[in-house]
Amino acid sequence: MDSFIIAALALCSLTATAYGDKGTSKARSCSDIRQFYNGKGFPVDGVPIAEISGEHLRICPQGYTCCTSDMEDNLAMLSRREMEGLLKDAGRSLQTSLTGQYKAFNGYFLELLNRSASILQETYTTNWGSLYTQNSQFFSDLYTDLRHYYRGSNLNLEEVLNEFWARLLEKLFYQANKQYFIGEDYLECVSKQIETLRPFGDTPRELKTKVTRTFVAARSFVQGLVISGEVVRKVSQVVLSQECMRAMMRMTYCPHCRSMASARPCANYCSNVMKGCLANQADLNTEWRHLAETMMQVADRFDGPSGVDVVVLSLHTHISEAMLYMIENIETVNTKLFQACGSLKEGGTSSTGVDDFMKKGKVTVEDPVRPSNKLDKLVSDVTIRLRDMQPYWISLPSLLCSDRVATGAGAEDKCWNGMNRARYLPEVMGDGLASQINNPEVEIDITKPDMTIRQQIMQLKIMTHRLKNALNGNDVDFQDTSDDVSGSGSGMCTDDICSRSQRPIVPVTERPNLYPPEQEKVMKASANQNLPCITIYLLSLLNLLLRR
């Protein structure tokens, strides 16, 4: 009997290593992964020569493996770095597109302003003579204020325009009444009469409406492009979670550890991994689309008879018409101002500024400006790019999976499913954090959203609100938008965030069953193959006990 026991134990020890993944009696070589691992920049000192038992693995399946614990950790960190690099590359591509649109529109608009200022200088020097040259800085200051406003300065555009007309009234009144001595106090009284006097007719009111709508729209539009790029930049730098790192490792490098380097992930498997890893990013989708749609509506306003170039390039014409209206009605204007502010004493020059002007003849009013083909092309390009970027955040999983999943005949049955070469059976999850509660590949606590991304969602909502105000011609305060979000404890709440936080949510406390029974049979095969050995050990031990 002793010889039987010894023989049984010897037989068991000899057959213990015979049951690998393929049931072969010879352990497979790890030469391929040694070369692969070294190619990734890691030393091969600790890499096994042949497969070893995988009980030590914490991420990959615990079958026979070519990976040690250190290798698993190194490859897991590498998979996260590579994934974060891909996200940054995709983000940079979108940022480049948004920056290109910003530069194109910003350059065009500033060019319009410069052309408008040059046209005013040329025509006014000819038409208005000393009336303009003595006050040229005053007109230049208007364009300076318009540029500052467009670039985001904290200016109230209506106040800027009201101040312009009030000061223009003072200057024209002074020029038209040089025979009188006019002090600063009197001129201040003159400017206060502008609302009741209406010395420039309807032009100030009409021009204020056009200029305000145009500049508010242009400023909010370029701000929207800047904010969009900043959102992409900040979200692309969000560090992926430990759970995502584990899922990426299991999908990307565990096949190498199992000597299945050629196995590519199943398409649906990759989708679930990416949807889980990018669940918070997908929640940007709603507000991102709203922003793009609103920006396209604003862009539509840039073209046509009341578009950007028409309004900006005709500024000098409208101002000139207003000045001409006052000069032609100077006697009525003087009478009303003398009644309101008091009579003036003579003490100035012998002739009036009006006399000098009338000798030159009337101002030539140019034909209305027509929209340019360049603006048509600009608006068309911007609209196309904005439409293309709308699905960006929910298309990232498919974009990142497109080059790595198994394709071709039989791909569904021979792809890597996270455990072996076999069909992937779980269903594909939806987009967004709330849809990942049953994600079989990435463990996610849906009650803890990423706060950096939540802040960017708020930025998108704020920017969309400002753009909608711009569509209605309302001036908007464009202080630094980072002031609008004070962090996770600010108490600010969007409809999307609040509605989600009020839902009854059950935290994931137990890992869901990853694969149906049919697939589990394949995964348990290697464990079942060791049962004969265990049985022999138990029978031998029982026999020894009975003999005692």
Side-chain angles (χ1 to χ4, degrees):
M1 182 61 72
D2 289 340
S3 60
F4 170 77
I5 295 172
I6 293 171
L9 293 175
L11 178 62
C12 184
S13 62
L14 289 172
T15 59
T17 59
Y19 297 99
D21 293 328
K22 295 183 180 180
T24 60
S25 59
K26 184 179 180 181
R28 286 173 293 188
S29 169
C30 292
S31 59
D32 287 345
I33 195 170
R34 287 174 66 85
Q35 184 178 358
F36 167 79
Y37 193 66
N38 187 244
K40 292 294 184 180
F42 300 111
V44 296
D45 298 347
V47 180
I49 301 298
E51 288 183 329
I52 59 175
S53 179
E55 289 84 357
H56 58 279
L57 298 177
R58 296 185 299 275
I59 301 175
C60 294
Q62 293 184 337
Y64 276 78
T65 182
C66 282
C67 287
T68 64
S69 295
D70 288 341
M71 292 174 64
E72 188 181 45
D73 290 341
N74 290 337
L75 290 173
M77 291 297 295
L78 176 64
S79 66
R80 177 158 71 179
R81 289 197 302 271
E82 289 176 340
M83 173 69 165
E84 289 173 347
L86 290 173
L87 288 174
K88 288 179 181 178
D89 288 343
R92 276 192 288 268
S93 177
L94 181 55
Q95 280 182 267
T96 299
S97 177
L98 290 168
T99 301
Q101 298 307 308
Y102 165 79
K103 288 182 177 179
F105 183 83
N106 184 64
Y108 181 79
F109 192 82
L110 291 176
E111 179 188 339
L112 283 180
L113 274 175
N114 291 336
R115 283 174 56 196
S116 179
S118 297
I119 292 171
L120 184 144
Q121 181 180 8
E122 293 171 4
T123 57
Y124 281 27
T125 300
T126 302
N127 291 336
W128 292 98
S130 61
L131 201 60
Y132 167 73
T133 56
Q134 293 176 15
N135 297 284
S136 60
Q137 187 59 46
F138 165 70
F139 292 97
S140 296
D141 289 343
L142 172 63
Y143 281 93
T144 299
D145 286 340
L146 290 176
R147 287 190 192 92
H148 286 166
Y149 174 82
Y150 167 72
R151 287 171 173 163
S153 295
N154 190 22
L155 294 173
N156 184 297
L157 189 55
E158 289 195 12
E159 290 180 1
V160 167
L161 296 173
N162 289 339
E163 178 68 14
F164 170 79
W165 291 112
R167 290 187 61 198
L168 182 60
L169 172 59
E170 292 179 13
K171 293 183 178 299
L172 287 183
F173 178 79
Y174 180 82
Q175 290 288 336
N177 294 280
K178 283 187 174 181
Q179 69 273 29
Y180 299 111
F181 175 79
I182 306 174
E184 290 296 328
D185 292 342
Y186 196 92
L187 288 176
E188 184 177 350
C189 174
V190 167
S191 65
K192 290 180 180 178
Q193 311 306 313
I194 191 167
E195 290 295 332
T196 56
L197 188 62
R198 296 183 62 199
F200 302 114
D202 292 331
T203 299
R205 178 180 55 81
E206 294 173 354
L207 190 60
K208 181 166 66 176
T209 299
K210 292 179 180 179
V211 170
T212 300
R213 283 186 176 274
T214 299
F215 277 77
V216 168
R219 181 166 89 152
S220 62
F221 183 76
V222 295
Q223 186 79 1
L225 291 172
V226 171
I227 292 297
S228 299
E230 279 297 290
V231 168
V232 174
R233 182 182 66 83
K234 291 178 180 178
V235 173
S236 298
Q237 292 176 349
V238 170
V239 177
L240 298 175
S241 67
Q242 287 289 112
E243 292 76 12
C244 175
M245 179 184 72
R246 293 171 63 86
M248 287 298 303
M249 168 62 190
R250 190 180 302 112
M251 181 178 74
T252 307
Y253 293 127
C254 285
H256 290 269
C257 293
R258 296 291 299 274
S259 299
M260 300 180 187
S262 62
R264 296 169 72 83
C266 302
N268 288 349
Y269 171 43
C270 185
S271 292
N272 275 343
V273 171
M274 294 301 182
K275 283 175 181 283
C277 286
L278 303 175
N280 282 282
Q281 286 85 339
D283 282 342
L284 286 157
N285 178 61
T286 299
E287 294 307 326
W288 183 259
R289 284 181 176 275
H290 287 168
L291 177 62
E293 288 168 0
T294 311
M295 289 178 69
M296 285 189 283
Q297 292 175 22
V298 173
D300 287 341
R301 299 284 182 89
F302 294 152
D303 203 359
S306 299
V308 169
D309 48 3
V310 174
V311 172
V312 175
L313 293 180
S314 62
L315 276 174
H316 70 287
T317 300
H318 293 298
I319 295 172
S320 191
E321 288 175 346
M323 294 167 63
L324 181 60
Y325 182 90
M326 177 175 168
I327 294 298
E328 290 178 342
N329 296 278
I330 190 63
E331 292 184 3
T332 303
V333 171
N334 278 349
T335 300
K336 292 181 177 179
L337 286 175
F338 292 158
Q339 292 175 352
C341 300
S343 300
L344 289 171
K345 296 180 180 179
E346 293 189 6
T349 60
S350 57
S351 64
T352 69
V354 176
D355 294 335
D356 294 337
F357 167 70
M358 289 303 183
K359 292 176 183 178
K360 290 180 174 289
K362 293 185 179 295
V363 174
T364 302
V365 179
E366 299 179 3
D367 294 332
V369 179
R370 295 179 180 179
S372 67
N373 293 332
K374 186 175 181 180
L375 183 61
D376 290 343
K377 179 69 165 55
L378 186 65
V379 171
S380 176
D381 288 347
V382 169
T383 302
I384 291 172
R385 297 296 173 87
L386 290 173
R387 188 176 292 114
D388 289 345
M389 81 176 195
Q390 280 186 288
Y392 176 75
W393 296 109
I394 58 173
S395 66
L396 271 178
S398 59
L399 174 67
L400 296 174
C401 283
S402 60
D403 294 331
R404 67 173 69 204
V405 298
T407 56
E412 291 185 2
D413 294 320
K414 297 179 181 179
C415 53
W416 174 255
N417 62 18
M419 297 297 291
N420 216 322
R421 282 182 184 268
R423 180 180 290 266
Y424 183 77
L425 300 177
E427 64 178 348
V428 177
M429 299 293 102
D431 298 310
L433 188 61
S435 299
Q436 308 309 311
I437 190 169
N438 292 318
N439 191 315
E441 308 306 333
V442 189
E443 293 185 13
I444 301 176
D445 185 351
I446 65 172
T447 66
K448 296 179 179 179
D450 184 278
M451 293 314 300
T452 297
I453 293 178
R454 295 293 140 177
Q455 289 178 354
Q456 298 313 305
I457 291 174
M458 180 62 74
Q459 296 283 41
L460 294 174
K461 284 186 77 77
I462 292 170
M463 191 64 243
T464 301
H465 177 70
R466 289 172 171 170
L467 284 161
K468 287 181 177 178
N469 278 337
L471 282 171
N472 297 323
N474 298 327
D475 200 353
V476 205
D477 181 16
F478 274 106
Q479 76 272 14
D480 182 2
T481 52
S482 62
D483 295 338
D484 296 315
V485 181
S486 56
S488 59
S490 65
M492 300 184 72
C493 181
T494 68
D495 297 338
D496 184 49
I497 297 172
C498 288
S499 62
R500 181 172 290 111
S501 64
Q502 291 167 357
R503 291 178 58 184
I505 298 174
V506 181
V508 179
T509 56
E510 185 174 326
R511 187 78 170 140
N513 187 21
L514 298 186
Y515 304 99
E518 294 83 359
Q519 199 158 320
E520 287 186 348
K521 292 177 183 178
V522 177
M523 301 170 191
K524 294 176 180 177
S526 61
N528 292 338
Q529 289 168 344
N530 289 323
L531 286 176
C533 180
I534 297 171
T535 303
I536 293 173
Y537 270 117
L538 291 175
L539 288 173
S540 302
L541 180 60
L542 178 61
N543 186 45
L544 287 172
L545 291 174
L546 289 174
R547 289 180 61 183
R548 293 181 182 180

